[in-house]
Protein backbone atom coordinates (compact mmCIF):
# COMPACT_ATOMS: atom_id res chain seq x y z
CA UNK A 1 0.00 0.00 0.00
CA UNK A 2 1.32 3.41 -0.96
CA UNK A 3 1.09 6.19 1.53
CA UNK A 4 1.32 10.00 1.31
CA UNK A 5 4.00 11.48 3.48
CA UNK A 6 5.53 14.91 3.94
CA UNK A 7 9.24 14.38 3.43
CA UNK A 8 12.37 16.27 2.42
CA UNK A 9 14.28 15.02 -0.59
CA UNK A 10 16.98 13.64 1.66
CA UNK A 11 14.48 11.85 3.91
CA UNK A 12 12.79 10.33 0.88
CA UNK A 13 16.08 9.12 -0.57
CA UNK A 14 17.19 7.65 2.76
CA UNK A 15 13.81 5.94 3.04
CA UNK A 16 14.17 4.50 -0.45
CA UNK A 17 17.61 3.22 0.54
CA UNK A 18 16.09 1.60 3.62
CA UNK A 19 13.46 -0.10 1.48
CA UNK A 20 16.05 -1.23 -1.07
CA UNK A 21 18.25 -2.42 1.82
CA UNK A 22 21.55 -2.71 -0.04
CA UNK A 23 24.17 -5.13 1.27
CA UNK A 24 26.75 -2.39 1.76
CA UNK A 25 26.65 1.39 2.13
CA UNK A 26 29.97 3.21 2.48
CA UNK A 27 29.47 6.93 2.80
CA UNK A 28 30.84 10.15 4.17
CA UNK A 29 28.61 13.09 5.08
CA UNK A 30 28.80 16.31 3.08
CA UNK A 31 26.40 19.23 2.96
CA UNK A 32 23.70 19.09 1.59
CA UNK A 33 23.74 15.28 1.28
CA UNK A 34 24.44 14.83 5.03
CA UNK A 35 20.91 13.89 6.08
CA UNK A 36 20.85 10.95 3.70
CA UNK A 37 23.82 9.36 5.43
CA UNK A 38 22.57 10.40 8.86
CA UNK A 39 19.05 8.95 8.39
CA UNK A 40 20.41 5.82 6.81
CA UNK A 41 22.94 5.23 9.57
CA UNK A 42 20.04 5.55 12.02
CA UNK A 43 18.22 2.77 10.20
CA UNK A 44 21.35 0.66 10.52
CA UNK A 45 21.86 1.50 14.21
CA UNK A 46 18.20 0.77 14.98
CA UNK A 47 18.39 -2.61 13.28
CA UNK A 48 15.84 -1.63 10.63
CA UNK A 49 18.16 -2.84 7.89
CA UNK A 50 20.83 -5.50 7.76
CA UNK A 51 23.08 -3.34 5.56
CA UNK A 52 26.79 -3.28 6.39
CA UNK A 53 27.48 0.43 6.93
CA UNK A 54 31.10 1.41 6.41
CA UNK A 55 32.16 4.68 7.99
CA UNK A 56 35.02 6.01 5.93
CA UNK A 57 37.41 8.91 6.32
CA UNK A 58 36.77 10.54 2.94
CA UNK A 59 34.76 10.27 -0.23
CA UNK A 60 37.71 8.76 -2.05
CA UNK A 61 37.46 5.92 0.44
CA UNK A 62 33.66 5.90 0.27
CA UNK A 63 33.71 5.23 -3.45
CA UNK A 64 36.65 2.83 -3.09
CA UNK A 65 34.84 0.77 -0.46
CA UNK A 66 31.68 0.81 -2.56
CA UNK A 67 33.63 -0.39 -5.60
CA UNK A 68 35.28 -3.10 -3.48
CA UNK A 69 31.93 -4.23 -2.13
CA UNK A 70 30.37 -4.28 -5.58
CA UNK A 71 33.30 -6.28 -6.99
CA UNK A 72 32.71 -8.66 -4.08
CA UNK A 73 29.20 -9.21 -5.38
CA UNK A 74 27.32 -6.92 -3.01
CA UNK A 75 24.54 -4.51 -3.89
CA UNK A 76 26.41 -1.39 -2.85
CA UNK A 77 25.48 2.27 -2.52
CA UNK A 78 26.94 5.56 -1.41
CA UNK A 79 25.80 9.19 -1.63
CA UNK A 80 27.52 12.51 -2.10
CA UNK A 81 27.56 16.16 -3.19
CA UNK A 82 29.95 18.63 -4.79
CA UNK A 83 33.47 18.39 -3.31
CA UNK A 84 32.69 14.88 -2.18
CA UNK A 85 32.04 13.85 -5.76
CA UNK A 86 35.19 15.71 -6.79
CA UNK A 87 37.23 13.77 -4.24
CA UNK A 88 35.75 10.47 -5.49
CA UNK A 89 36.72 11.35 -9.04
CA UNK A 90 39.23 8.70 -10.02
CA UNK A 91 37.23 5.92 -8.40
CA UNK A 92 34.01 7.16 -10.02
CA UNK A 93 35.57 6.31 -13.39
CA UNK A 94 36.74 2.93 -12.10
CA UNK A 95 33.22 2.05 -10.94
CA UNK A 96 31.87 2.68 -14.43
CA UNK A 97 34.67 1.06 -16.42
CA UNK A 98 34.65 -2.02 -14.18
CA UNK A 99 30.91 -2.19 -14.90
CA UNK A 100 29.82 -2.17 -11.27
CA UNK A 101 26.11 -1.40 -10.84
CA UNK A 102 26.48 1.05 -7.96
CA UNK A 103 23.64 3.47 -7.23
CA UNK A 104 24.53 6.87 -5.80
CA UNK A 105 22.21 9.71 -4.86
CA UNK A 106 23.92 13.02 -5.57
CA UNK A 107 22.54 16.18 -4.00
CA UNK A 108 23.63 18.86 -6.45
CA UNK A 109 25.84 21.58 -5.02
CA UNK A 110 28.26 24.09 -6.50
CA UNK A 111 31.93 23.18 -6.69
CA UNK A 112 34.68 25.27 -5.14
CA UNK A 113 36.01 27.78 -5.58
CA UNK A 114 34.98 30.10 -4.14
CA UNK A 115 33.56 27.90 -1.40
CA UNK A 116 29.81 27.53 -1.65
CA UNK A 117 27.38 24.97 -0.26
CA UNK A 118 24.29 25.76 -2.34
CA UNK A 119 22.73 24.32 -5.44
CA UNK A 120 24.07 24.25 -8.92
CA UNK A 121 24.84 21.39 -11.27
CA UNK A 122 28.57 21.94 -11.69
CA UNK A 123 29.31 18.77 -9.71
CA UNK A 124 27.37 16.18 -11.72
CA UNK A 125 27.85 18.02 -15.01
CA UNK A 126 31.56 17.69 -14.39
CA UNK A 127 31.07 13.94 -14.04
CA UNK A 128 29.01 13.69 -17.21
CA UNK A 129 31.73 11.82 -19.09
CA UNK A 130 32.62 9.44 -16.28
CA UNK A 131 30.48 6.64 -17.71
CA UNK A 132 27.69 6.82 -15.12
CA UNK A 133 24.04 6.95 -16.04
CA UNK A 134 22.58 10.21 -14.76
CA UNK A 135 18.95 10.72 -13.75
CA UNK A 136 17.74 14.16 -12.68
CA UNK A 137 14.80 14.77 -10.33
CA UNK A 138 12.51 17.77 -10.16
CA UNK A 139 10.86 16.94 -6.85
CA UNK A 140 11.01 14.82 -3.71
CA UNK A 141 8.71 12.32 -5.42
CA UNK A 142 10.99 12.04 -8.42
CA UNK A 143 14.13 11.69 -6.30
CA UNK A 144 12.44 8.78 -4.48
CA UNK A 145 11.05 7.16 -7.64
CA UNK A 146 14.29 7.58 -9.59
CA UNK A 147 16.35 5.97 -6.85
CA UNK A 148 14.19 2.86 -6.80
CA UNK A 149 14.28 2.58 -10.59
CA UNK A 150 18.03 3.21 -10.60
CA UNK A 151 18.71 -0.11 -8.89
CA UNK A 152 16.95 -2.03 -11.65
CA UNK A 153 18.62 0.03 -14.38
CA UNK A 154 22.12 -0.36 -12.94
CA UNK A 155 21.82 -4.10 -12.40
CA UNK A 156 20.29 -4.95 -15.77
CA UNK A 157 22.47 -7.67 -17.36
CA UNK A 158 22.95 -5.64 -20.56
CA UNK A 159 24.17 -2.60 -18.65
CA UNK A 160 25.94 -3.27 -15.35
CA UNK A 161 26.52 0.45 -15.12
CA UNK A 162 26.49 2.76 -12.10
CA UNK A 163 23.74 5.36 -11.77
CA UNK A 164 23.72 8.83 -10.19
CA UNK A 165 20.34 10.10 -9.04
CA UNK A 166 20.52 13.88 -8.82
CA UNK A 167 18.34 16.33 -6.94
CA UNK A 168 18.81 20.01 -6.11
CA UNK A 169 20.72 20.80 -2.93
CA UNK A 170 18.62 22.46 -0.20
CA UNK A 171 15.80 23.25 -2.65
CA UNK A 172 14.70 19.63 -2.97
CA UNK A 173 16.97 17.95 -0.45
CA UNK A 174 15.75 20.08 2.48
CA UNK A 175 12.38 21.26 1.15
CA UNK A 176 9.34 19.47 2.54
CA UNK A 177 6.92 18.08 -0.02
CA UNK A 178 4.17 15.50 -0.10
CA UNK A 179 5.32 12.31 -1.73
CA UNK A 180 3.69 8.96 -2.28
CA UNK A 181 5.79 6.33 -0.60
CA UNK A 182 5.52 2.65 -1.48
CA UNK A 183 5.48 0.04 1.22
CA UNK A 184 8.71 -1.82 1.95
CA UNK A 185 7.53 -5.10 0.46
CA UNK A 186 6.56 -3.53 -2.85
CA UNK A 187 9.95 -1.85 -3.20
CA UNK A 188 11.77 -5.07 -2.27
CA UNK A 189 9.78 -7.00 -4.85
CA UNK A 190 10.39 -4.34 -7.51
CA UNK A 191 14.16 -4.20 -7.06
CA UNK A 192 14.37 -7.98 -6.58
CA UNK A 193 17.30 -9.96 -5.32
CA UNK A 194 20.68 -8.98 -6.71
CA UNK A 195 22.48 -11.76 -8.52
CA UNK A 196 25.97 -10.49 -9.39
CA UNK A 197 27.61 -11.87 -12.50
CA UNK A 198 30.94 -12.13 -10.74
CA UNK A 199 32.20 -11.89 -7.22
CA UNK A 200 35.73 -11.67 -5.91
CA UNK A 201 34.51 -13.80 -3.01
CA UNK A 202 33.52 -16.75 -5.16
CA UNK A 203 36.53 -19.10 -5.42
CA UNK A 204 34.57 -21.41 -7.72
CA UNK A 205 34.53 -18.75 -10.42
CA UNK A 206 37.75 -16.75 -10.11
CA UNK A 207 37.87 -13.26 -11.61
CA UNK A 208 40.30 -10.36 -11.75
CA UNK A 209 38.97 -6.80 -11.52
CA UNK A 210 41.06 -3.78 -12.39
CA UNK A 211 43.89 -5.42 -14.32
CA UNK A 212 46.42 -3.49 -16.38
CA UNK A 213 44.97 -2.87 -19.83
CA UNK A 214 47.33 -1.44 -22.44
CA UNK A 215 47.34 -0.60 -26.14
CA UNK A 216 46.17 -4.08 -27.04
CA UNK A 217 42.87 -4.19 -25.10
CA UNK A 218 41.94 -0.85 -23.46
CA UNK A 219 40.24 0.52 -26.56
CA UNK A 220 38.05 -2.60 -26.95
CA UNK A 221 36.97 -2.37 -23.32
CA UNK A 222 36.07 1.29 -23.75
CA UNK A 223 34.14 0.45 -26.90
CA UNK A 224 32.09 -2.13 -25.03
CA UNK A 225 31.47 0.35 -22.21
CA UNK A 226 30.16 2.76 -24.80
CA UNK A 227 27.82 0.09 -26.16
CA UNK A 228 26.41 -0.55 -22.68
CA UNK A 229 25.57 3.15 -22.42
CA UNK A 230 23.90 2.92 -25.83
CA UNK A 231 21.74 0.07 -24.53
CA UNK A 232 20.84 2.00 -21.39
CA UNK A 233 18.10 4.09 -22.99
CA UNK A 234 15.98 1.05 -23.79
CA UNK A 235 16.43 -0.38 -20.30
CA UNK A 236 15.56 2.94 -18.65
CA UNK A 237 12.27 2.97 -20.58
CA UNK A 238 11.50 -0.67 -19.74
CA UNK A 239 12.05 -0.08 -16.05
CA UNK A 240 9.92 3.08 -16.22
CA UNK A 241 7.12 1.06 -17.84
CA UNK A 242 7.17 -1.47 -15.01
CA UNK A 243 7.32 1.29 -12.45
CA UNK A 244 4.29 2.91 -14.03
CA UNK A 245 2.30 -0.30 -13.64
CA UNK A 246 3.16 -0.24 -9.97
CA UNK A 247 2.56 3.42 -9.20
CA UNK A 248 0.75 5.04 -12.14
CA UNK A 249 3.60 7.55 -12.31
CA UNK A 250 5.08 8.04 -15.73
CA UNK A 251 8.79 8.42 -16.49
CA UNK A 252 10.74 8.65 -19.73
CA UNK A 253 13.82 10.34 -21.13
CA UNK A 254 12.22 13.70 -20.44
CA UNK A 255 8.93 15.30 -19.49
CA UNK A 256 7.05 17.50 -21.92
CA UNK A 257 4.93 20.23 -20.42
CA UNK A 258 2.55 22.08 -22.77
CA UNK A 259 5.04 21.35 -25.50
CA UNK A 260 3.02 19.77 -28.30
CA UNK A 261 1.61 22.99 -29.76
CA UNK A 262 4.23 25.33 -28.28
CA UNK A 263 6.20 27.80 -30.41
CA UNK A 264 8.84 28.67 -27.86
CA UNK A 265 10.15 26.51 -25.02
CA UNK A 266 12.55 26.35 -22.15
CA UNK A 267 14.66 23.28 -21.36
CA UNK A 268 15.55 23.01 -17.68
CA UNK A 269 16.70 20.30 -15.27
CA UNK A 270 15.56 19.52 -11.74
CA UNK A 271 13.65 21.95 -9.51
CA UNK A 272 13.81 24.88 -11.96
CA UNK A 273 11.42 22.90 -14.14
CA UNK A 274 8.82 23.26 -11.38
CA UNK A 275 9.17 27.02 -11.41
CA UNK A 276 9.01 27.04 -15.19
CA UNK A 277 5.77 25.04 -15.20
CA UNK A 278 4.12 27.74 -13.12
CA UNK A 279 5.34 30.41 -15.55
CA UNK A 280 4.12 28.36 -18.51
CA UNK A 281 0.64 28.19 -16.92
CA UNK A 282 0.58 31.96 -16.48
CA UNK A 283 1.80 32.71 -20.00
CA UNK A 284 -0.60 30.19 -21.49
CA UNK A 285 -3.48 32.00 -19.77
CA UNK A 286 -2.26 35.19 -21.39
CA UNK A 287 -2.41 33.39 -24.76
CA UNK A 288 1.28 32.69 -25.43
CA UNK A 289 2.14 29.31 -26.90
CA UNK A 290 4.95 28.40 -24.53
CA UNK A 291 6.13 25.05 -23.26
CA UNK A 292 8.77 23.28 -21.22
CA UNK A 293 11.00 20.27 -21.70
CA UNK A 294 12.49 18.76 -18.57
CA UNK A 295 15.24 16.20 -19.23
CA UNK A 296 15.29 13.32 -16.76
CA UNK A 297 17.99 11.24 -18.41
CA UNK A 298 21.15 13.17 -19.23
CA UNK A 299 23.39 10.11 -19.54
CA UNK A 300 22.81 8.42 -21.87
CA UNK A 301 21.91 11.54 -23.83
CA UNK A 302 18.64 10.97 -25.72
CA UNK A 303 19.79 13.00 -28.72
CA UNK A 304 17.43 11.54 -31.32
CA UNK A 305 14.31 11.82 -29.17
CA UNK A 306 15.17 15.36 -28.10
CA UNK A 307 15.70 16.44 -31.70
CA UNK A 308 12.37 14.94 -32.75
CA UNK A 309 10.59 16.66 -29.88
CA UNK A 310 12.14 20.09 -30.31
CA UNK A 311 12.22 20.29 -34.12
CA UNK A 312 8.80 21.93 -34.49
CA UNK A 313 9.59 24.82 -32.16
CA UNK A 314 10.64 28.29 -33.24
CA UNK A 315 12.90 29.36 -30.39
CA UNK A 316 14.29 27.33 -27.48
CA UNK A 317 16.22 28.43 -24.40
CA UNK A 318 18.38 25.80 -22.76
CA UNK A 319 18.92 26.72 -19.14
CA UNK A 320 22.09 25.42 -17.55
CA UNK A 321 22.74 25.61 -13.83
CA UNK A 322 26.42 25.07 -14.62
CA UNK A 323 28.98 26.78 -16.80
CA UNK A 324 31.24 24.74 -19.05
CA UNK A 325 33.88 27.47 -19.14
CA UNK A 326 34.27 26.64 -22.79
CA UNK A 327 33.24 30.24 -23.60
CA UNK A 328 30.36 28.77 -25.58
CA UNK A 329 27.42 28.08 -23.28
CA UNK A 330 26.43 25.44 -20.75
CA UNK A 331 26.78 21.66 -21.10
CA UNK A 332 23.08 20.91 -21.70
CA UNK A 333 22.93 23.69 -24.30
CA UNK A 334 25.87 22.34 -26.20
CA UNK A 335 24.58 18.79 -26.35
CA UNK A 336 21.08 19.83 -27.35
CA UNK A 337 22.37 22.11 -30.08
CA UNK A 338 24.61 19.37 -31.36
CA UNK A 339 21.67 16.92 -31.32
CA UNK A 340 19.67 19.39 -33.47
CA UNK A 341 22.38 19.89 -36.08
CA UNK A 342 20.91 17.53 -38.68
CA UNK A 343 17.32 18.63 -38.08
CA UNK A 344 15.85 21.81 -39.44
CA UNK A 345 14.72 23.26 -36.17
CA UNK A 346 14.48 26.12 -33.75
CA UNK A 347 16.93 28.81 -32.86
CA UNK A 348 18.58 27.66 -29.64
CA UNK A 349 19.88 29.96 -26.92
CA UNK A 350 21.97 29.29 -23.83
CA UNK A 351 21.05 30.73 -20.43
CA UNK A 352 23.44 30.06 -17.61
CA UNK A 353 21.71 30.76 -14.30
CA UNK A 354 21.54 30.02 -10.60
CA UNK A 355 25.23 29.33 -9.94
CA UNK A 356 26.10 28.84 -6.28
CA UNK A 357 22.44 28.70 -5.32
CA UNK A 358 21.46 32.09 -6.77
CA UNK A 359 17.66 32.09 -6.55
CA UNK A 360 15.72 31.49 -9.72
CA UNK A 361 12.17 32.79 -9.38
CA UNK A 362 9.15 33.01 -11.68
CA UNK A 363 10.18 36.53 -12.73
CA UNK A 364 13.56 35.24 -13.98
CA UNK A 365 11.98 32.44 -15.98
CA UNK A 366 9.34 34.85 -17.32
CA UNK A 367 12.14 37.02 -18.61
CA UNK A 368 13.52 34.10 -20.57
CA UNK A 369 10.13 33.35 -22.12
CA UNK A 370 9.71 37.06 -22.94
CA UNK A 371 13.08 37.02 -24.74
CA UNK A 372 12.05 33.96 -26.71
CA UNK A 373 8.67 35.41 -27.70
CA UNK A 374 10.37 38.62 -28.78
CA UNK A 375 12.86 36.72 -30.94
CA UNK A 376 10.04 34.71 -32.44
CA UNK A 377 8.18 37.92 -33.28
CA UNK A 378 11.06 39.99 -34.64
CA UNK A 379 13.34 37.24 -35.91
CA UNK A 380 16.19 39.17 -34.28
CA UNK A 381 18.44 37.58 -31.71
CA UNK A 382 21.17 39.71 -30.17
CA UNK A 383 22.84 37.07 -28.09
CA UNK A 384 22.94 33.29 -28.22
CA UNK A 385 24.91 33.10 -25.00
CA UNK A 386 23.25 34.63 -21.95
CA UNK A 387 23.70 34.83 -18.22
CA UNK A 388 20.51 35.09 -16.21
CA UNK A 389 20.35 36.80 -12.85
CA UNK A 390 23.96 37.92 -12.53
CA UNK A 391 24.88 41.54 -11.68
CA UNK A 392 26.59 43.43 -14.48
CA UNK B 1 52.35 -3.90 -31.52
CA UNK B 2 50.12 -5.93 -33.82
CA UNK B 3 46.65 -6.31 -32.35
CA UNK B 4 44.78 -7.52 -35.42
CA UNK B 5 44.45 -11.13 -34.34
CA UNK B 6 43.20 -10.39 -30.84
CA UNK B 7 39.50 -10.74 -29.99
CA UNK B 8 37.15 -7.83 -30.83
CA UNK B 9 35.22 -5.86 -28.23
CA UNK B 10 32.10 -8.02 -28.49
CA UNK B 11 34.04 -11.12 -27.47
CA UNK B 12 35.68 -9.71 -24.35
CA UNK B 13 34.23 -9.90 -20.83
CA UNK B 14 32.69 -6.54 -19.93
CA UNK B 15 34.55 -4.24 -17.57
CA UNK B 16 38.05 -5.43 -18.42
CA UNK B 17 37.53 -8.47 -16.20
CA UNK B 18 39.88 -11.41 -16.51
CA UNK B 19 38.17 -14.77 -16.08
CA UNK B 20 41.19 -16.98 -16.61
CA UNK B 21 43.18 -17.42 -13.41
CA UNK B 22 46.95 -17.09 -13.59
CA UNK B 23 47.06 -15.69 -17.11
CA UNK B 24 49.61 -13.04 -16.08
CA UNK B 25 52.09 -15.70 -17.17
CA UNK B 26 51.06 -15.03 -20.78
CA UNK B 27 52.17 -11.42 -20.53
CA UNK B 28 55.85 -11.31 -21.35
CA UNK B 29 57.12 -8.54 -19.16
CA UNK B 30 60.69 -9.50 -20.04
CA UNK B 31 60.69 -7.10 -22.98
CA UNK B 32 60.62 -4.17 -20.55
CA UNK B 33 64.12 -5.04 -19.30
CA UNK B 34 67.06 -2.66 -19.78
CA UNK B 35 69.55 -4.82 -17.89
CA UNK B 36 69.56 -8.53 -17.09
CA UNK B 37 70.62 -10.49 -14.02
CA UNK B 38 73.35 -13.08 -14.62
CA UNK B 39 73.41 -15.88 -12.09
CA UNK B 40 76.67 -17.62 -11.17
CA UNK B 41 75.95 -21.19 -10.02
CA UNK B 42 79.54 -21.56 -8.75
CA UNK B 43 79.21 -18.74 -6.24
CA UNK B 44 75.54 -19.32 -5.26
CA UNK B 45 74.93 -20.73 -1.74
CA UNK B 46 71.20 -21.29 -2.46
CA UNK B 47 69.98 -19.16 0.42
CA UNK B 48 66.99 -18.29 -1.88
CA UNK B 49 66.89 -14.64 -0.82
CA UNK B 50 66.64 -13.73 -4.52
CA UNK B 51 63.67 -16.08 -4.94
CA UNK B 52 61.90 -14.54 -1.92
CA UNK B 53 62.40 -10.96 -3.09
CA UNK B 54 61.91 -11.21 -6.86
CA UNK B 55 58.65 -9.33 -7.52
CA UNK B 56 57.99 -11.31 -10.71
CA UNK B 57 58.63 -14.89 -9.56
CA UNK B 58 61.40 -15.05 -12.13
CA UNK B 59 64.01 -16.97 -10.14
CA UNK B 60 63.65 -20.58 -11.17
CA UNK B 61 64.19 -22.99 -8.31
CA UNK B 62 64.31 -26.76 -8.48
CA UNK B 63 64.86 -29.01 -5.47
CA UNK B 64 65.78 -26.03 -3.31
CA UNK B 65 68.42 -24.80 -5.75
CA UNK B 66 68.46 -21.79 -8.06
CA UNK B 67 68.73 -23.22 -11.57
CA UNK B 68 68.25 -20.12 -13.67
CA UNK B 69 66.25 -17.01 -14.43
CA UNK B 70 63.01 -16.73 -16.36
CA UNK B 71 63.96 -14.03 -18.87
CA UNK B 72 60.47 -14.03 -20.39
CA UNK B 73 59.20 -12.37 -17.25
CA UNK B 74 62.24 -10.86 -15.49
CA UNK B 75 61.85 -7.06 -15.69
CA UNK B 76 65.47 -6.39 -14.80
CA UNK B 77 64.72 -4.50 -11.58
CA UNK B 78 67.95 -5.71 -9.96
CA UNK B 79 66.39 -6.60 -6.60
CA UNK B 80 67.82 -10.13 -6.75
CA UNK B 81 71.34 -8.79 -7.25
CA UNK B 82 70.84 -6.36 -4.38
CA UNK B 83 69.45 -9.00 -1.99
CA UNK B 84 72.08 -11.63 -2.74
CA UNK B 85 74.37 -11.62 0.32
CA UNK B 86 77.30 -9.15 -0.16
CA UNK B 87 79.85 -11.84 0.63
CA UNK B 88 78.40 -14.07 -2.12
CA UNK B 89 77.43 -11.69 -4.93
CA UNK B 90 76.22 -14.52 -7.16
CA UNK B 91 74.06 -12.23 -9.32
CA UNK B 92 75.36 -9.37 -11.42
CA UNK B 93 73.33 -7.00 -13.58
CA UNK B 94 74.50 -6.59 -17.16
CA UNK B 95 73.06 -4.00 -19.54
CA UNK B 96 70.88 -5.55 -22.26
CA UNK B 97 72.65 -5.66 -25.59
CA UNK B 98 76.07 -6.31 -24.09
S1 LIG C 1 66.07 -8.56 -11.94
FE1 LIG C 1 64.19 -8.28 -10.76
S2 LIG C 1 62.68 -9.37 -11.97
FE2 LIG C 1 64.61 -10.05 -12.73
S3 LIG C 1 65.02 -11.91 -11.57
FE3 LIG C 1 66.01 -10.22 -10.49
S4 LIG C 1 64.51 -9.60 -8.98
FE4 LIG C 1 63.41 -10.83 -10.50
S1 LIG D 1 70.44 -14.72 -3.19
FE1 LIG D 1 72.39 -15.13 -4.22
S2 LIG D 1 73.23 -16.80 -3.05
FE2 LIG D 1 71.12 -16.67 -2.44
S3 LIG D 1 70.10 -18.11 -3.83
FE3 LIG D 1 70.02 -16.17 -4.82
S4 LIG D 1 71.78 -16.10 -6.14
FE4 LIG D 1 72.11 -17.76 -4.73
Amino acid sequence: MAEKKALTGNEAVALAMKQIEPDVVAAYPITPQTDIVQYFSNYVADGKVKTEFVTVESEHSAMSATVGAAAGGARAMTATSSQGLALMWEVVYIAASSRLPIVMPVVNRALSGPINIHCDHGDTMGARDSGWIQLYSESVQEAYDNLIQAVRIAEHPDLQLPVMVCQDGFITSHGLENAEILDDETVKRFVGEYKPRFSLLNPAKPVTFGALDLQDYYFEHKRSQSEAMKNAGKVILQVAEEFKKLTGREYGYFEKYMLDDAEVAVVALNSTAGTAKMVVDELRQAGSKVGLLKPRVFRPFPAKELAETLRGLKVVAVMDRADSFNAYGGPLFNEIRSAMYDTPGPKILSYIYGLGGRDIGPADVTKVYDDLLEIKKTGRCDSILNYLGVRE
Amino acid sequence: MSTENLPGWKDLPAGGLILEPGNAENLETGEWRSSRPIHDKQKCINCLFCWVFCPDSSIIVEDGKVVGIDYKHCKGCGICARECPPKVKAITMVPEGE
Side-chain angles (χ1 to χ4, degrees):
Chain A
M1 271 295 289
E3 164 188 25
K4 280 257 181 207
K5 266 191 184 165
L7 293 168
T8 66
N10 279 349
E11 279 175 324
V13 160
L15 185 57
M17 286 170 71
K18 172 190 163 233
Q19 298 180 315
I20 294 162
E21 199 176 352
D23 302 309
V24 175
V25 169
Y28 192 84
I30 181 167
T31 303
Q33 157 267 37
T34 304
D35 307 334
I36 296 177
V37 178
Q38 185 193 323
Y39 291 127
F40 190 78
S41 59
N42 279 346
Y43 291 135
V44 176
D46 295 344
K48 299 262 167 62
V49 289
K50 292 197 283 290
T51 305
E52 179 81 28
F53 187 82
V54 189
T55 51
V56 286
E57 80 286 3
S58 78
E59 282 85 357
H60 191 279
S61 307
M63 186 48 75
S64 298
T66 309
V67 160
R75 181 179 271 160
M77 294 176 77
T78 180
T80 196
S81 282
S82 179
Q83 301 308 116
L85 179 57
L87 187 50
M88 285 178 178
W89 208 256
E90 63 166 347
V91 199
V92 162
Y93 276 71
I94 291 165
S97 56
S98 306
R99 305 286 290 277
L100 297 170
I102 293 163
V103 171
M104 171 164 74
V106 182
V107 183
N108 285 112
R109 163 185 151 183
L111 279 172
S112 297
I115 299 173
N116 182 294
I117 57 165
H118 291 281
C119 175
D120 73 37
H121 303 154
D123 50 2
T124 52
M125 280 298 154
R128 67 187 180 272
D129 296 339
S130 62
W132 285 57
I133 290 168
Q134 290 192 336
L135 305 179
Y136 285 81
S137 326
E138 177 189 330
S139 60
V140 170
Q141 183 74 65
E142 290 188 8
Y144 174 81
D145 291 350
N146 278 337
L147 198 75
I148 293 167
Q149 292 176 69
V151 175
R152 288 282 305 281
I153 296 166
E155 293 171 4
H156 191 283
D158 293 348
L159 308 195
Q160 301 283 309
L161 286 173
V163 184
M164 290 182 197
V165 177
C166 311
Q167 59 166 308
D168 280 350
F170 290 112
I171 302 163
T172 311
S173 69
H174 289 62
L176 205 61
E177 287 174 24
N178 268 327
E180 202 173 284
I181 300 301
L182 299 165
D183 65 87
D184 295 2
E185 260 323 296
T186 305
V187 174
K188 285 217 162 55
R189 221 174 320 115
F190 185 79
V191 297
E193 198 192 322
Y194 177 44
K195 293 189 193 76
R197 289 176 317 149
F198 300 104
S199 163
L200 285 176
L201 302 178
N202 180 5
K205 204 174 161 191
V207 58
T208 302
F209 279 83
L212 184 70
D213 203 18
L214 299 179
Q215 298 99 317
D216 48 356
Y217 282 105
Y218 182 90
F219 199 176
E220 278 70 25
H221 286 128
K222 284 301 176 193
R223 178 63 188 85
S224 103
Q225 192 183 334
S226 190
E227 190 71 8
M229 195 52 106
K230 228 165 89 187
N231 294 335
K234 204 171 55 216
V235 171
I236 289 168
L237 295 185
Q238 278 166 13
V239 173
E241 195 56 41
E242 270 188 62
F243 192 77
K244 186 185 161 191
K245 281 193 198 119
L246 202 66
T247 63
R249 290 190 290 278
E250 212 160 316
Y251 288 93
Y253 294 133
F254 42 77
E255 182 190 336
K256 297 191 290 182
Y257 190 75
M258 302 286 194
L259 202 60
D260 289 340
D261 67 336
E263 294 173 329
V264 308
V266 157
V267 178
L269 293 167
N270 279 9
S271 65
T272 305
T275 312
K277 284 176 186 168
M278 192 189 125
V279 174
V280 167
D281 289 347
E282 281 174 4
L283 292 173
R284 281 268 169 181
Q285 269 177 9
S288 302
K289 285 190 166 172
V290 297
L292 167 79
L293 187 143
K294 178 188 77 183
R296 168 186 180 236
V297 181
F298 183 63
R299 285 291 180 269
F301 189 71
K304 200 170 113 257
E305 293 78 5
L306 278 168
E308 272 162 20
T309 306
L310 295 175
R311 62 183 298 172
L313 288 148
K314 300 273 186 302
V315 198
V316 169
V318 181
M319 296 181 61
D320 270 289
R321 204 165 193 157
D323 198 340
S324 265
F325 301 106
N326 56 2
Y328 204 72
L332 188 56
F333 163 75
N334 274 292
E335 299 215 8
I336 287 184
R337 247 167 85 105
S338 164
M340 302 297 293
Y341 185 78
D342 290 321
T343 316
K347 187 144 202 72
I348 305 177
L349 283 69
S350 165
Y351 283 83
I352 289 172
Y353 76 97
L355 302 190
R358 173 65 48 85
D359 243 352
I360 173 95
D364 303 299
V365 182
T366 305
K367 192 199 160 298
V368 176
Y369 279 110
D370 286 347
D371 288 356
L372 300 183
L373 290 166
E374 185 64 19
I375 293 167
K376 196 208 91 192
K377 203 168 90 192
T378 62
R380 240 194 58 217
C381 172
D382 294 333
S383 170
I384 295 285
L385 308 176
N386 305 280
Y387 291 90
L388 178 69
V390 71
R391 290 184 301 276
E392 291 299 328
Chain B
M1 184 187 302
S2 169
T3 58
E4 274 162 39
N5 297 325
L6 298 174
W9 64 267
K10 289 174 196 146
D11 298 322
L12 293 171
L17 305 190
I18 295 174
L19 309 182
E20 182 192 349
N23 80 345
E25 194 165 11
N26 303 339
L27 187 68
E28 296 190 6
T29 46
E31 59 188 36
W32 303 356
R33 202 168 49 234
S34 63
S35 60
R36 61 166 58 208
I38 305 290
H39 177 243
D40 184 338
K41 267 191 201 143
Q42 252 51 57
K43 290 189 188 164
C44 177
I45 57 167
N46 291 306
C47 66
L48 299 190
F49 276 16
C50 55
W51 176 79
V52 168
F53 282 98
C54 173
D56 281 290
S57 311
S58 295
I59 305 286
I60 306 166
V61 174
E62 274 168 25
D63 299 329
K65 292 197 169 90
V66 175
V67 296
I69 287 160
D70 169 7
Y71 288 115
K72 274 200 172 128
H73 296 98
C74 162
K75 289 187 295 204
C77 66
I79 291 174
C80 52
R82 163 90 181 216
E83 294 300 330
C84 185
K87 282 185 187 159
V88 183
K89 282 200 183 305
I91 298 179
T92 38
M93 300 301 292
V94 180
E96 281 293 342
E98 269 181 29

